[in-house]
């Protein structure tokens, strides 16, 4: 494509030390060049953010929030351009790309409307104790490739409103929409408040270990999250980690099998299954297991799998070759252990396409059940006893999300209460909203994002404890 992508450092759109190819997953061919930073450019970006911090933090919050609103307006005005680029680099169908862009606009506006007021903890006998929330400094925001725009916004909104400055590093297979966002930041924000740098999975440690980075806001795999946490330990940096998941869907015996199949299919196959809170294993009551399997297999067979830029595509490619190989390997293994009732193969065409796949009759210890597949392949498992299925759903090192489907809402909610994850949705899925906290339990995360508590994560408590002097 013609557009020349550049990084944002200290208010300037700059070339990299080198460039690398960005591949369209629907063709497996390079379609754009991305600038790549080196250690010196990372240092410059952090120095710019550090330099910009005092003045940015000192601005009235109304001014900072106004600029975050202005970012939202600019993003909305260019929504079609962002969505099209997102489909090209990430692969998701255009309508899902537009949904991500508009969700990002909503997220920025939601954070621009939030305030952290000082709290008076005590006011008696001349003693006043007030808790203020003060910004941390330079935030390094490191993001993955499945939602490259909105996962930046979940960090940018709260970081900027509370007075922090940022260095953002996107994933190397989806850097372009973040660079486009950098162009908008250059128009709206003072120099250095937001900086955008790119790498090829090789420079992240320079940010997480940098002495002038106060906080690392990370979304990505649990394996990388552990490295981020270890690197941050040396400087006792603040970290938030939004990591992997292995979400279970529990289908209770009083729900309509066809309805449940539609919903579980939607929650498993949106974005070709590459969602941290996608349904990654479905547990269906034995009384409806056959009907559920038949219905969900029909949906998978009816999917229109194609380039996301084509009208009518419902499932796009897997985002990159490494993930394609990982999902294909899990599928090869699952084929030998269970029964494939839809899909089951990569599609023989250029690009990283895997037919939406449903596998039944697997044991709980199959890798496709135990590991995070992060692709369009869903295991459907049978259960008979509710206590047993709750234990099976909880038998995971992950604890991100999950869903429960049932007509009797009180009963379904009682089951949801026993699922050991950060979020459980009852009779709905993916209901993520900037005003509702989102955080992972167990190895799915540390700290969290969104909601007022998400805003708190970008601040520290600053207690001023004052007492009046007695008259001399
Ligand atoms: P990843 O961990 O491979 O990469 C994430 C980011 O970390 C990339 O920008 C990468 O360049 C960077 N990185 C790599 N090595 C690093 C290091 N040593 N130090 C610092 N940064 C480093 O993850 P991915 O494959 O891009 O994304 C998929 C994963 O993300 C899945 O496990 C998914 O569940 C998870 N995810 C979680 C959430 C959530 O909110 N919990 C949301 C989306 C995705």
């Amino acid at each position: 494509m013609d557009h020349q992508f550049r990084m944002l450092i200290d208010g300037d759109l700059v070339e990299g030390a080198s460039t690398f190819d960005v591949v369209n997953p629907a063709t497996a061919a390079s379609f754009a060049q991305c600038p790549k930073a080196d250690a010196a450019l990372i240092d410059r970006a952090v120095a710019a953010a550090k330099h910009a911090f005092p003045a940015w933090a000192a601005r009235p919050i109304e001014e900072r929030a106004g600029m975050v609103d202005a970012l939202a307006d600019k993003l909305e005005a260019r929504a079609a351009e962002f969505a099209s680029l997102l489909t090209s680099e990430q692969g998701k169908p255009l309508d899902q790309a537009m949904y991500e862009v508009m969700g990002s606009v909503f997220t920025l506006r939601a954070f621009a409307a939030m305030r952290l007021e000082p709290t008076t903890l005590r006011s008696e006998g001349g003693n006043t104790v007030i808790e203020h929330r003060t910004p941390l400094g330079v935030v390094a925001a490191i993001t993955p490739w499945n939602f490259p725009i909105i996962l930046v916004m979940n960090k940018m909104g709260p970081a900027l409103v509370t007075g922090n400055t940022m260095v953002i590093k996107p994933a190397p297979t989806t850097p372009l929409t973040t660079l486009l966002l950098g162009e908008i930041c250059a128009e709206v924000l003072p120099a250095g408040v937001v900086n955008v740098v790119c790498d090829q999975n090789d420079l992240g440690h320079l940010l997480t270990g940098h002495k002038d980075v106060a906080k690392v806001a990370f979304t990505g795999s649990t394996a990388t999250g552990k490295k981020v946490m270890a690197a941050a330990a040396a400087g006792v940096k603040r970290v938030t980690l939004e990591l992997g998941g292995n979400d279970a869907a529990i289908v209770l015996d009083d729900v309509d099998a066809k309805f449940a199949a539609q919903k579980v299919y939607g929650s498993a196959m949106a974005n070709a299954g590459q969602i941290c809170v996608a349904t990654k294993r479905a547990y269906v009551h034995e009384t409806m297991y056959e009907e559920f399997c038949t219905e969900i297999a029909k949906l998978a067979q009816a999917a229109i799998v194609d380039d996301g830029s084509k009208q009518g595509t419902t499932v796009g490619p897997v985002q990159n070759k490494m993930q394609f190989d990982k999902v294909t390997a899990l599928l090869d293994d699952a084929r030998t252990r269970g029964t494939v009732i839809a899909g089951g193969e990569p599609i023989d065409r250029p690009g990283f396409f895997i037919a939406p796949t449903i596998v039944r009759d697997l044991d709980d210890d199959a890798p496709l059940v135990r590991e995070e597949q992060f692709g369009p392949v869903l295991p459907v498992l049978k259960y008979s006893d509710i206590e047993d299925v709750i234990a099976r759903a909880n038998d995971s090192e992950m604890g991100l999300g999950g869903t429960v489907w049932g007509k009797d809402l009180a009963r379904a909610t009682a089951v949801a209460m026993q699922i050991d994850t950060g979020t459980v949705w009852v009779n709905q899925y993916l209901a993520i909203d900037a005003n509702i906290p989102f955080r992972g339990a167990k190895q799915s995360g540390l700290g969290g994002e969104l909601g007022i508590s998400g805003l708190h994560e970008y601040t520290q408590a600053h207690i001023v404890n004052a007492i009046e002097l007695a008259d001399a």
Side-chain angles (χ1 to χ4, degrees), residues 264-285:
V264 170
Y265 176 81
S267 71
M269 297 297 172
N271 201 25
Q274 303 161 113
I275 306 184
C276 54
V277 284
T279 292
K280 294 184 178 132
R281 46 198 173 118
Y283 295 91
V284 181
H285 193 262

Side-chain angles (χ1 to χ4, degrees), residues 251-265 284-285 287-297 299 405:
V251 180
L252 299 177
D253 58 4
D254 63 347
V255 76
D256 178 68
K258 189 170 178 181
F259 166 82
Q262 281 167 353
K263 295 296 181 182
V264 170
Y265 176 81
V284 181
H285 193 262
T287 51
M288 65 172 75
Y289 186 70
E290 294 304 325
E291 188 185 357
F292 182 96
C293 286
T294 305
E295 292 297 333
I296 200 166
L299 293 167
W405 303 91

Side-chain angles (χ1 to χ4, degrees), residues 215-239:
K215 171 185 167 107
V216 182
F218 174 83
T219 304
S221 63
T222 298
T224 310
K226 289 177 184 176
K227 289 185 199 163
V228 170
M229 197 169 166
V236 196
K237 293 185 197 318
R238 277 52 183 158
V239 286

Side-chain angles (χ1 to χ4, degrees), residues 409-459:
L409 187 62
R411 178 169 166 247
T413 304
V415 173
M417 289 291 291
Q418 296 175 70
I419 303 301
D420 192 7
T421 59
T423 301
V424 190
W425 289 288
V426 178
N427 296 333
Q428 57 176 348
Y429 63 93
L430 278 182
I432 294 177
D433 172 327
N435 292 301
I436 299 173
F438 179 76
R439 41 191 68 216
K442 299 191 272 188
Q443 293 194 25
S444 286
L446 185 76
E449 294 188 326
L450 307 182
I452 285 287
S453 60
L455 207 60
H456 270 247
E457 298 266 357
Y458 289 83
T459 66

Side-chain angles (χ1 to χ4, degrees), residues 194-398:
V194 165
N195 304 270
V196 180
V197 293
C198 298
D199 74 341
Q200 285 184 289
N201 276 338
D202 55 346
L203 301 178
H205 68 283
L206 296 178
L207 288 171
T208 56
H210 201 292
K211 68 176 177 31
D212 291 329
V213 168
K215 171 185 167 107
V216 182
F218 174 83
T219 304
S221 63
T222 298
T224 310
K226 289 177 184 176
K227 289 185 199 163
V228 170
M229 197 169 166
V236 196
K237 293 185 197 318
R238 277 52 183 158
V239 286
T240 45
L241 303 175
E242 294 285 0
L243 308 178
N246 193 10
D247 291 10
I250 297 179
V251 180
L252 299 177
D253 58 4
D254 63 347
V255 76
D256 178 68
K258 189 170 178 181
F259 166 82
Q262 281 167 353
K263 295 296 181 182
V264 170
Y265 176 81
S267 71
M269 297 297 172
N271 201 25
Q274 303 161 113
I275 306 184
C276 54
V277 284
T279 292
K280 294 184 178 132
R281 46 198 173 118
Y283 295 91
V284 181
H285 193 262
E286 58 184 354
T287 51
M288 65 172 75
Y289 186 70
E290 294 304 325
E291 188 185 357
F292 182 96
C293 286
T294 305
E295 292 297 333
I296 200 166
K298 276 193 222 163
L299 293 167
Q301 282 151 359
I304 300 171
V305 187
D306 207 337
D307 186 326
S309 65
K310 283 200 190 147
Q311 188 85 30
T313 297
T314 58
V315 178
V318 171
Q319 200 279 319
N320 57 71
K321 178 73 164 71
M322 198 195 286
Q323 189 63 24
F324 174 85
D325 290 342
K326 182 183 161 193
V327 178
T328 306
L330 281 171
L331 191 48
D332 288 343
D333 175 85
R335 206 180 292 111
T336 67
R337 298 170 187 259
T339 315
V340 173
I341 53 172
E345 301 287 344
I347 298 176
D348 186 16
R349 59 175 280 182
F352 311 129
F353 291 93
I354 296 176
T357 297
I358 309 293
V359 189
R360 54 172 285 175
D361 305 326
L362 285 170
D363 289 335
D364 281 3
D365 58 4
L368 182 61
V369 180
R370 293 218 68 84
E371 294 174 25
E372 183 186 38
Q373 65 275 49
F374 221 61
V377 182
L378 179 72
V380 179
L381 310 153
K382 193 193 292 183
Y383 77 91
S384 52
D385 176 72
I386 192 69
E387 296 308 322
D388 179 52
V389 77
I390 291 168
R392 289 164 71 190
N394 285 337
D395 181 20
S396 171
E397 289 177 342
M398 304 296 181

